[in-house]
Amino acid sequence: MDWTAPPTDRQTGGRCHRDGLRAAAVLEKGRAGGCAMKGIMVMGTASDVGKTMICTALCRLLSDEGMRVAPFKSQNMSRFSAKTEDGEEMSRAQFLHAEAARTKPVIEMNPILLKPVDNRKADVRFFGEAFDAVDGMEYRTQFFERSIKAIRTSLDRLAETFDVLVIEGAGSPAEVNLNDREIVNMRVADMADVPVLLVADIDRGGAIASIVGTLQLLAPEHRARVKGIIINKFHGDAALFQEGVDFIESYTGIRVVGVIPHKMNHGIEEEDADRPASEAPAGTDVYDAWAAHVKAHLDWPFVLGLVER
């Protein structure tokens, strides 16, 4: 794989406790010796709040700023995948993110792919190499240290070629029962040393409670990483939610950087959904149109400043 080429113009027992302590020690060292990189990470208060689509917009918007952008998701559990030019299988979401960023998809953008085979087991792929299906406990036990190494390797390799990283989290960072060996949210933010945007889905209800609850369950150093909140999938007049915005900001001390209206006809395949992509109007560049929609309702100068810090 050519890492010098520029992007294309195309588109809890004792053992668990000891392992957790060793991982923490590794993280405290940061990415010393690696390549420094600007970036931002998008996390959510739950699954399916729209993290993937927000990352899609950020990839295009940062590309529009003249930056060489790499999407990244350390581990993706999805039945939907695509293959790189080298024939390596990666998640569909990061493949599409690369298109939005106008760069070639490479396996380091999604080094770990889990493909569910039933409600308990998943096939495991590291950098496209397939392993036998395992259940969740086996995976956490057998693959944690390999995962940390794969994530660090990917971040360092991407930093060699790209200016900025757009990182997507998974589920919620407040899954306290998983924190000792989580490899998709705050552990990755620590490794990359990037600020975080927290996304909540107001369409499903309970958005304010989910924001407050998520932040309260984070460790203080991780809560400090959250620099902005996005209210996603809003229906109606956003002015009617101003009191909600005021409450969130005053209660949490964190800025609401966007209230993004729901948009049906964006024409982009979503991460892990059987629901078909709604068709965009003919002749539309779906990435440009979606990015423009998000930017119109986002405090873009503030978000850009986070990236360029």
Side-chain angles (χ1 to χ4, degrees):
M1 190 173 298
D2 181 8
W3 286 104
T4 62
T8 64
D9 289 334
R10 186 182 180 268
Q11 13 172 272
T12 70
R15 180 178 177 183
C16 288
H17 178 66
R18 289 193 301 272
D19 287 340
L21 290 176
R22 284 198 298 269
V26 170
L27 296 176
E28 285 174 359
K29 295 179 182 178
R31 296 183 59 225
C35 299
M37 176 180 282
K38 298 176 182 178
I40 196 159
M41 188 162 185
V42 177
M43 298 187 193
T45 59
S47 296
D48 203 30
V49 298
K51 297 184 293 290
T52 301
M53 292 298 294
I54 295 297
C55 285
T56 303
L58 294 179
C59 284
R60 178 51 58 99
L61 291 172
L62 291 169
S63 175
D64 287 345
E65 296 287 339
M67 299 181 187
R68 298 173 301 169
V69 183
F72 181 75
K73 187 167 185 176
S74 58
Q75 172 189 283
N76 205 331
M77 177 173 280
S78 177
R79 293 177 293 111
F80 302 99
S81 61
K83 289 190 176 181
T84 68
E85 289 183 0
D86 295 330
E88 297 161 321
E89 191 172 9
M90 64 185 291
S91 74
R92 179 175 73 182
Q94 278 60 63
F95 191 96
L96 297 180
H97 285 168
E99 290 188 342
R102 300 184 177 97
T103 195
K104 180 175 70 174
V106 293
I107 197 65
E108 282 76 8
M109 295 172 179
N110 173 223
I112 308 168
L113 176 63
L114 305 180
K115 301 192 77 173
V117 295
D118 57 33
N119 63 353
R120 294 193 60 183
K121 290 189 173 184
D123 287 331
V124 179
R125 287 167 173 77
F126 275 77
F127 296 112
E129 179 185 357
F131 294 81
D132 291 338
V134 294
D135 64 27
M137 187 58 70
E138 290 173 320
Y139 177 71
R140 283 165 59 82
T141 301
Q142 297 176 20
F143 289 97
F144 177 73
E145 292 183 3
R146 181 191 288 265
S147 298
I148 294 297
K149 182 178 179 180
I151 294 165
R152 189 173 297 281
T153 296
S154 295
L155 291 173
D156 287 341
R157 287 181 178 174
L158 292 173
E160 293 173 9
T161 297
F162 295 94
D163 302 320
V164 64
L165 203 62
V166 174
I167 307 175
E168 181 181 354
S172 163
E175 303 290 350
V176 295
N177 57 307
L178 301 177
N179 279 350
D180 65 323
R181 290 197 164 201
E182 75 89 6
I183 56 170
V184 291
N185 287 308
M186 284 299 178
R187 184 168 265 119
V188 177
D190 285 341
M191 293 172 77
D193 192 18
V194 293
V196 171
L197 297 177
L198 182 66
V199 180
D201 176 4
I202 199 169
D203 188 38
R204 66 178 64 189
I208 295 176
S210 70
I211 292 166
V212 171
T214 297
L215 292 170
Q216 288 188 344
L217 288 171
L218 295 178
E221 65 272 20
H222 290 153
R223 190 180 189 279
R225 282 203 178 275
V226 181
K227 303 301 184 184
I229 295 167
I230 294 177
I231 306 298
N232 200 25
K233 305 181 186 180
F234 189 86
H235 294 263
D237 184 356
L240 299 176
F241 189 64
Q242 187 57 47
E243 287 186 14
V245 170
D246 294 341
F247 174 84
I248 292 168
E249 293 185 334
S250 64
Y251 193 90
T252 68
I254 300 172
R255 187 171 185 163
V256 175
V257 299
V259 178
I260 312 300
H262 191 268
K263 180 177 174 63
M264 285 293 297
N265 61 338
H266 53 70
I268 301 170
E269 293 176 303
E270 297 184 49
E271 179 179 23
D272 193 23
D274 276 330
R275 54 184 182 266
S278 54
E279 291 189 9
T284 300
D285 182 312
V286 294
Y287 299 124
D288 278 345
W290 173 247
H293 172 76
V294 171
K295 186 177 183 181
H297 303 280
L298 187 71
D299 187 344
W300 178 240
F302 178 81
V303 174
L304 184 60
L306 291 178
V307 174
E308 295 182 326
R309 77 197 195 293

